[in-house]
Amino acid sequence: MKNKVIMTIITGLVLAGSVFAFAANAPQPVNLDIAAAQKAETKTAQNTNPPANANEYVCVKPLDVVANPDMYLNKKIKFRAAFDKFSTLGLDYKPALRDSQKYISFLIKRDDVTDHTIPLSEMKIFIKRTEAEKFIDLDSGDIIEVYGKVFSNALTDPWIDTEKLIVVEKKNKDTKKKD
């Protein structure tokens, strides 16, 4: 009987030691809000600098480019605008081909209309999908700066390859938290 009690005590101590050892080596919880904020800060820091060759780009107004696409053909341009949304507009159009498997287009808001939200659909702006994935948190109304090259004037519209996209200002700086 005495041996049974000793064995029970030893077994209990071994089990307790195992539990403490397991708890000490268990993965620690991660505060996802802090991790997400640090990741967002890193991502923002990477995307806030203009390209090294920024002086090669002509600063333009989007409506001027739309009004005179021939004048900007094969030119590097930069402009600021309010982001509207990602789209498939203009993809796979043969005269100015940008493959929908590799690219996505995005729309900006017309700056000559203030009482409604109307996209500047005459301007076809393309970005590589791999690059666009860095900007999935863009919201309509966010201010962006686009560095790109007008590669076509098909349909008398400017078709632009985005070489660099910078988020200048978020419309809603406070992100909604899900509880």
Side-chain angles (χ1 to χ4, degrees), residues 45-146:
Q46 293 171 350
N47 296 319
T48 57
N49 297 325
N53 60 343
N55 59 340
E56 296 176 13
Y57 295 82
V58 177
C59 189
V60 297
K61 294 180 180 176
L63 289 172
D64 291 344
V65 178
V66 167
N68 301 299
D70 296 338
M71 190 166 97
Y72 297 98
L73 185 61
N74 297 316
K75 298 235 168 61
K76 291 185 174 189
I77 61 172
K78 69 177 177 179
F79 57 88
R80 281 192 180 188
F83 176 81
D84 187 38
K85 62 186 155 226
F86 286 103
S87 170
T88 58
L89 182 68
L91 291 169
D92 298 323
Y93 177 65
K94 291 190 186 223
L97 185 62
R98 289 298 176 263
D99 183 359
S100 60
Q101 298 296 315
K102 296 179 184 174
Y103 289 86
I104 188 146
S105 61
F106 62 92
L107 296 167
I108 59 173
K109 294 183 179 186
R110 295 185 71 93
D111 60 0
D112 59 343
V113 179
T114 56
D115 56 343
H116 292 84
T117 298
I118 300 177
L120 187 60
S121 59
E122 300 91 338
M123 183 177 272
K124 311 316 190 258
I125 312 169
F126 302 94
I127 188 168
K128 290 184 177 177
R129 285 186 179 269
T130 54
E131 187 67 18
E133 289 172 0
K134 299 175 187 175
F135 298 98
I136 58 171
D137 60 343
L138 272 176
D139 294 316
S140 182
D142 289 349
I143 305 301
I144 57 173
E145 189 167 55
V146 178

